[in-house]
Amino acid sequence: MAWLAGVDGCKAGWIVAMASADGRAAPLVQVVPHFADLFAGEIVPAIVAVDMPIGLPDRVKGSGRGPEQAVRALLGDRQSSVFAIPARCAVEARDYEQACALALAHSEPPRKVSKQGFHLFPKIREIDVLLRAEPSMCERVFEVHPELAFRTMKGDPLTHPKKIKGVVNPSGMAERRDLLRAAGIAREAVSARPPRGAAGDDLLDALAALVVARHIAAGHGKPFPNPPGRDSHGLPIAIWTYRPVSEPQQDIVMSARPVTRPMIEEAAARIAGHARVTPVMRLGTGAFGSEADVSLKLECLQHAGSFKTRGAFNNLLSLPVPAAGVSAASGGNHGAAVAYAAMKRGVKATIFVPEISPAAKIEAIRRFGADVVVGGAQYDDAQAACDRFVAETGALKIHPFAAKETITGQGTLGREWDLQEPDLDTVLVAVGGGGLISGIASWFAGSKVKVVGVEPEGSRALQAALDAKGPVEVKVASVAADSLGARNVGQLVYDLTKDSVDHIALVPDAAITEAQAVLWRDFRLAVEPGGAAALGALLCGAYQPAKGERLGVLVCGANIDLTKLAAIVG
């Protein structure tokens, strides 16, 4: 039987609320002097949720680590319960004055250590020493914050504080006891006297942590930031809560999908007036020498030059944005879209781009007012730098494909296309990281429309995932690598596409550049390689439509260096 533990620091050490994963019995509550004692008894928990910081950045920007800055925005009047944890060197100091001096030297703006926070440092060091000595423990020990847990249970910030000027507030304690009972904690555990060496509010906090542990064990955990950052020792930097189980059910086919039509409908309403409705060009039967009835969906005319503006706005309009603003890692288009959306919303944006990013795309990001950090040979290097920045500053990370908010935003393109062309049989969609095709396939799932992905022969992350029945790493070498060059599509994209994408058509680079030339020559459309890839599949025969098939081809990106386009078209 698996055991779970919720843990909080207390005067005598650590108060532990332990329960079986099935939750049938009331929790066992005890106080242990040392955190490591949790793993030395007869019952060893598989998951530990602890109200104590884990992961310490070498430098802090803003009011504490990134997780603290992200969580405060959710807590309303309870924000002061989230202490600003300083840099590692300050936490490791044994003297208060020394800790303050180190904190001042390693924070922007300079920030001292509160005395209340300083008293937590020995307990922070206990966990830090254990996890650094046994890194595998990071897979079972999770940082939580009780006020965030209670906020998740209620669905809104709490009404009453636990204490007022250091004195227990009965209304606040009653509010939290009611929430714990509603979350499934036995009444006798919620109403029990705390063990010697712990206070009543310590007990409630440990029980709140146990609620989060149960949800993490069930696969419903939710970290801030998502995914968690890492400190220089590899320890995770994130505060965990959980996703409440959704009550309403959609139809049976759609309810099991992480992204559904109703979610896309909501996103479309959310971003209306922010993203453009882009046109469809109907070319009729015989276009490009094909027997199909062909039309082009010109998403290349979207704000910031690509479809990614939809996902960027959906993130900004559906998630709380901290004072540190937003951040993204991008080969160019996603960064430009996030920068554009942030500019329109009056939000600071910091974009990390790899060295392979075209100058035209970097210039577009800067033109929209974002801070641009260039570094690392490939996209994954830029993503790692972005993750560190988010962990240190608390900025909201907007992922280009591995996030439901992004995919749902991209799905509005499928909805819009469907309304414009209700009789389509097939759509051709270029694939990089897979966020676009995931959103479009989620919209068309269960309909008559066949969704076909198009990948360069030298950059086939989704094809490899479908072949392996799970996401895998691939090597990338293509003329379209700056936008279609993801090495791994990730689990979310794989889950959304494995049953809803008909197949992948692989195209050579020559077909992609030919499509660019055709789009310029025949339509005066300046399109980047990734944006032309779907048409390339039709031109080279990688996709061969049936006679009379109503075929929609997505032209999805226009951020091309015009000197390179001139070389292609001769």
Side-chain angles (χ1 to χ4, degrees), residues 372-391:
V372 179
V373 181
V374 182
Q378 299 291 336
Y379 166 77
D380 287 358
D381 303 315
Q383 185 65 66
C386 177
D387 291 345
R388 288 192 295 272
F389 176 80
V390 167

Side-chain angles (χ1 to χ4, degrees), residues 6-17 29-31 51 123 146 150 162-163 168 173 177 180 194-209:
V7 183
D8 188 31
C10 64
K11 185 176 181 180
W14 302 86
I15 181 170
V16 182
V29 179
Q30 61 179 320
V31 168
D51 175 22
K123 285 185 164 57
F150 285 122
K162 282 188 302 186
K163 293 182 178 180
V168 169
M173 297 290 279
R177 288 191 181 102
L180 288 169
R196 184 183 298 274
D201 60 319
D202 297 330
L203 172 61
L204 298 189
D205 287 351
L207 292 171

Side-chain angles (χ1 to χ4, degrees), residues 131-203:
L131 297 185
R132 287 171 60 184
E134 300 184 46
S136 62
M137 297 286 286
C138 293
E139 302 300 322
R140 56 199 291 200
V141 179
F142 298 84
E143 176 184 345
V144 299
H145 193 286
E147 292 300 282
L148 178 60
F150 285 122
R151 193 249 189 247
T152 305
M153 295 178 213
K154 184 176 180 179
D156 286 297
L158 274 64
T159 305
H160 305 287
K162 282 188 302 186
K163 293 182 178 180
I164 299 176
K165 295 183 178 179
V167 178
V168 169
N169 176 23
S171 297
M173 297 290 279
E175 181 179 22
R176 286 157 180 78
R177 288 191 181 102
D178 289 343
L179 290 170
L180 288 169
R181 285 192 286 266
I185 300 297
R187 179 179 293 272
E188 58 266 33
V190 174
S191 303
R193 289 175 60 87
R196 184 183 298 274
D201 60 319
D202 297 330
L203 172 61

Side-chain angles (χ1 to χ4, degrees), residues 287-308:
F288 309 114
S290 168
E291 293 185 327
D293 184 357
V294 180
S295 62
L296 303 178
K297 171 64 170 168
L298 301 181
E299 190 67 8
C300 53
L301 302 180
Q302 186 57 259
H303 291 301
S306 83
F307 68 91
K308 289 181 180 286

